[in-house]
Amino acid sequence: MIEQWLEQRARGEEQRQEDIAGFVTGVVEGSISPAQIGAWLAFVFTRGMSAQETVWLTEAMTQSGDTLSWDGLEGPFVDKHSTGGIGDKVSLVLAPLWAALGQRVPMLSGRGLGITGGTLDKLEAIPGYRTDLSVPELRTVLDEVGCFINGQTGDLAPADRILYATRNETGTVASVPLITASILSKKLVEGLDLLVMDVKCGSGAFMKTQAEAEALAESLERVGTGAGVEMRVRLTDMSTPLGCGIGNALEVQEAAQCLQGQGPQDLEDLVVELSGMGEAGRQALRDGSAFAKWQGMVRGHGGDPEASLHGSDATKMVLQSTHSGQVQSLDAGGIGRAAFVLGAGRRHATDPVHFGVGLQLLKKPGDPVHAGEDLVEIWHAQGHGLEEAQPAVEAAYHIK
Ligand code: URA
């Protein structure tokens, strides 16, 4: 059968739903060889896949392992996923905010890879916070608090794990249908009513151009809707870092500030926009209700909510501006690379991260700055990566 499926894909012909499902089953059961998986992916990469086929692939991958069900709990069940960016700590704020507004948020997140950070790494910067709660533990936190943020638990979407690893090895990651199915299959296992997608675009994002980001946004919207979930897809800028804290502990601290109505404006505005709740969302950040949910969630995961306010325990070095003017732009990609070389991110999935390292941006685009004035705090661990980070930060700022 697989030989026939490969011939069809090589010719760019559409496959039937049962054949796509059969392929996914064969991948998980091991009856399809790694070489055959690689060839199938390469044909999809070069010849594409129709929207209908992408829905079938997504559904088959979603059904390839366990799925979560919240029977007995009252919804609506909502979640948000970002394609990743620099300083993007929106999930940490949005999950408790939604919970404060009566939504239930069963959020399964990932770790950072490359220069974009991962929500689980950020949360693990909070002493005691466990990202590996069991399904019964997650149900308790979801029931009592209204939101959780955890790692993949049990055997969820195992097909994605295998396909993603092969895509990495075969250079077939950058395919819109394959990215769509990969992202959505991991979210649709959560038993959602609504999924908000934040597709980032710019130098600090996976999608660098508007056209690439639009193609992915359109595909996610079409396929998610086709798979029966209400989708709200936003395309947002990632040419400039979001907020001022970049690095795990610094981002947790900024999220906790935002949850008390004291976050940077760009972060608060994006959180409120993605919440879809307008002024009620902003109000919940001001009146303490979202922060109370944050404290409940952190406690529910075994963490210390007080510690989430403390920021970094690394060593601080302050970089001053060499000239006067106005910050014209701040390159998110350069800032992300600087935080990465300091140790905030990981090159390989199993690498450790240093929670305390990162950057605190004291000036953002539009801000006036004088020569000799503090521009950015660089938080480092015994100087690790500092030699590379400092010029990267200087190059990222365009002051005129
Ligand atoms: N993130 C995912 O989860 N999958 C992809 O294919 C790309 C980014």
Side-chain angles (χ1 to χ4, degrees):
M1 218 45 191
I2 178 68
E3 292 77 12
Q4 188 192 337
W5 296 339
L6 289 176
E7 278 170 27
Q8 287 172 331
R9 289 250 73 100
R11 289 195 294 265
E13 287 171 12
E14 272 208 16
Q15 285 190 283
R16 297 176 308 168
Q17 181 173 15
E18 55 264 44
D19 294 339
I20 290 178
F23 171 75
V24 171
T25 303
V27 167
V28 175
E29 288 179 353
S31 58
I32 296 179
S33 75
Q36 289 167 327
I37 296 172
W40 192 91
L41 291 168
F43 291 138
V44 171
F45 184 83
T46 51
R47 307 295 309 250
M49 194 175 224
S50 73
Q52 182 59 70
E53 284 181 297
T54 313
V55 172
W56 290 333
L57 177 63
T58 305
E59 286 176 342
M61 287 167 66
T62 306
Q63 297 301 326
S64 66
D66 300 336
T67 53
L68 300 176
S69 151
W70 309 112
D71 290 348
L73 297 185
E74 213 175 302
F77 299 94
V78 304
D79 192 9
K80 163 255 164 193
H81 180 76
S82 159
T83 54
I86 310 303
D88 183 358
K89 69 282 289 172
V90 166
S91 292
L92 307 189
V93 185
L94 186 53
L97 171 65
W98 264 334
L101 295 167
Q103 319 288 299
R104 285 200 201 272
V105 193
M107 189 180 280
L108 298 177
S109 291
R111 297 190 182 280
L113 193 58
I115 65 167
T116 59
T119 299
L120 297 185
D121 297 325
K122 295 173 201 190
L123 287 166
E124 286 176 358
I126 304 170
Y129 193 106
R130 282 178 52 208
T131 57
D132 62 349
L133 295 190
S134 66
V135 173
E137 288 171 321
L138 292 175
R139 171 178 271 274
T140 302
V141 182
L142 193 60
D143 183 19
E144 292 176 357
V145 182
C147 61
F148 64 70
I149 307 181
N150 204 63
Q152 292 271 328
T153 175
D155 191 27
L156 300 175
D160 181 61
R161 259 198 307 280
I162 301 167
L163 292 175
Y164 194 84
T166 312
R167 285 166 61 206
N168 243 341
E169 283 174 24
T170 55
T172 54
V173 169
S175 150
V176 167
L178 296 178
I179 296 171
T180 302
S182 169
I183 291 176
L184 288 181
S185 64
K186 285 179 294 213
K187 283 286 152 185
L188 299 185
V189 295
E190 292 174 354
L192 299 177
D193 298 306
L194 167 72
L195 176 61
V196 176
M197 278 295 318
D198 181 9
V199 178
K200 299 279 187 208
C201 174
S203 67
F206 196 50
M207 295 289 167
K208 308 283 182 221
T209 68
Q210 183 82 8
E212 285 172 342
E214 275 172 8
L216 180 59
E218 229 174 79
S219 173
L220 287 164
E221 177 139 36
R222 210 177 325 111
V223 173
T225 306
V229 174
E230 186 185 340
M231 297 290 295
R232 206 185 295 149
V233 184
R234 296 282 180 275
L235 217 149
T236 66
D237 177 59
M238 191 28 76
S239 56
T240 302
L242 185 62
C244 301
I246 291 106
N248 300 296
L250 293 168
E251 293 193 40
V252 165
Q253 182 186 38
E254 187 168 274
Q257 288 163 349
C258 187
L259 281 155
Q260 298 171 91
Q262 291 160 8
Q265 199 62 47
D266 60 345
L267 174 61
E268 180 178 307
D269 288 348
L270 181 58
V271 167
V272 170
E273 183 195 338
L274 293 175
S275 79
M277 299 286 185
E279 272 316 298
R282 220 175 278 281
Q283 185 56 27
L285 296 175
R286 305 247 181 281
D287 65 13
S289 56
F291 188 62
K293 290 293 183 186
W294 164 257
Q295 291 173 305
M297 180 183 80
V298 171
R299 247 184 247 113
H301 279 266
D304 174 6
E306 268 304 300
S308 69
L309 306 169
H310 294 167
S312 172
D313 60 357
T315 307
K316 181 171 78 170
M317 174 203 151
V318 183
L319 200 66
Q320 278 95 20
S321 179
T322 51
H323 49 289
S324 300
Q326 189 179 38
V327 180
Q328 304 292 321
S329 62
L330 178 56
D331 177 46
I335 292 294
R337 274 185 294 282
F340 179 76
V341 297
L342 290 169
R346 56 166 64 81
R347 221 171 283 276
H348 304 288
T350 50
D351 289 350
V353 296
H354 194 298
F355 295 129
V357 304
L359 305 162
Q360 188 71 31
L361 309 171
L362 305 177
K363 300 288 177 188
K364 295 266 315 248
D367 290 344
V369 60
H370 301 292
E373 197 180 348
D374 292 352
L375 193 61
V376 53
E377 296 169 0
I378 303 182
W379 292 83
H380 60 92
Q382 286 100 39
H384 175 81
L386 201 50
E387 244 176 52
E388 221 182 309
Q390 188 173 333
V393 172
E394 285 165 350
Y397 270 95
H398 177 213
I399 299 171
K400 210 164 76 177

